[in-house]
């Protein structure tokens, strides 16, 4: 009895093609995740969105990074906390009803400032954008289709 195996070379070529595409696929997924995260990030000045970028890419992972100092506070929210002055004796902010510029300065003819030695901040609600953005990228990426196309084209 003789057993003849056919297609071993085609199978090997397909497996090698899949092996070689892993890092490229992870880079593509990482780039798609950055795009989705930038679409979901809350905007006031745009700084947080500009800080989102692709980090290290390996065959198994792609890191997306939001490098703004307050990125985690926006993603996860903050607990109630006390704000005290670092350098001066009091905190200062535009009083309610005062007209301000985006940077917080009083606009011309704007009003007055309020002062306090400490402020009890109530905390902020979370506004997730990193994890949902990565999840949305995975849903839209259609990884299955890429793998099938690579598999079919390799033989």
């Amino acid at each position: 009895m003789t057993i003849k195996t056919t297609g071993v070379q085609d199978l090997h070529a397909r497996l090698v093609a899949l092996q070689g595409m892993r890092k490229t696929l992870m880079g593509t997924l990482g780039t798609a995740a950055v795009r989705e995260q930038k679409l979901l990030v809350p905007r006031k000045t745009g700084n947080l969105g500009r800080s989102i970028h692709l980090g290290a890419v390996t065959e198994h992972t792609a890191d997306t990074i939001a490098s703004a100092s307050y990125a985690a506070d926006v993603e996860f929210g903050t607990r109630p906390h006390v704000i005290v002055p670092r350098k001066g004796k009091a905190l200062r902010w535009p009083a309610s009803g005062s007209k301000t510029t985006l940077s917080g300065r009083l606009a011309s003819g704007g009003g007055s400032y309020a002062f306090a030695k400490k402020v009890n901040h109530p905390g902020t609600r979370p506004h997730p954008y990193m994890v949902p953005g990565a999840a949305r990228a995975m849903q839209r990426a259609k990884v299955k289709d890429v793998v099938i196309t690579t598999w079919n084209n390799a033989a």
Side-chain angles (χ1 to χ4, degrees), residues 18 21-30 32-33 59-60 134-152:
L18 289 178
M21 70 170 275
R22 287 193 305 195
K23 190 168 183 179
T24 303
L25 181 61
M26 291 308 298
T28 303
L29 287 173
E59 290 186 355
H60 305 287
R136 189 187 287 184
M138 285 297 295
Q139 288 173 345
R140 293 183 178 180
K142 299 180 181 172
V143 174
K144 180 177 105 176
D145 295 340
V146 174
V147 172
I148 289 171
T149 301
T150 303
W151 178 270
N152 291 335

Side-chain angles (χ1 to χ4, degrees), residues 28-41 43 52 64 133 136-137 140-141:
T28 303
L29 287 173
T31 303
V34 167
R35 182 178 59 250
E36 295 296 334
Q37 291 161 345
K38 287 185 177 200
L39 290 173
L40 291 176
V41 71
R43 282 191 176 24
I52 300 172
T64 58
R136 189 187 287 184
R140 293 183 178 180

Side-chain angles (χ1 to χ4, degrees), residues 3-116:
I3 298 175
K4 184 176 180 184
T5 306
T6 59
V8 174
Q9 290 176 336
D10 289 342
L11 175 63
H12 179 70
R14 288 177 167 162
L15 293 174
V16 168
L18 289 178
Q19 180 80 14
M21 70 170 275
R22 287 193 305 195
K23 190 168 183 179
T24 303
L25 181 61
M26 291 308 298
T28 303
L29 287 173
T31 303
V34 167
R35 182 178 59 250
E36 295 296 334
Q37 291 161 345
K38 287 185 177 200
L39 290 173
L40 291 176
V41 71
R43 282 191 176 24
K44 184 172 182 180
T45 63
N47 183 57
L48 182 55
R50 283 190 303 274
S51 78
I52 300 172
H53 60 278
L54 185 61
V57 177
T58 68
E59 290 186 355
H60 305 287
T61 63
D63 296 338
T64 58
I65 301 164
S67 57
S69 61
Y70 54 92
D73 293 340
V74 174
E75 177 83 4
F76 303 112
T78 61
R79 293 182 172 181
H81 55 283
V82 176
I83 301 172
V84 295
R86 289 187 191 169
K87 296 179 182 177
K89 294 180 181 180
L91 299 166
R92 180 182 87 161
W93 66 91
S96 62
S98 298
K99 295 180 181 177
T100 60
T101 63
L102 189 59
S103 66
R105 295 184 178 148
L106 286 178
S108 58
S112 62
Y113 287 102
F115 296 90

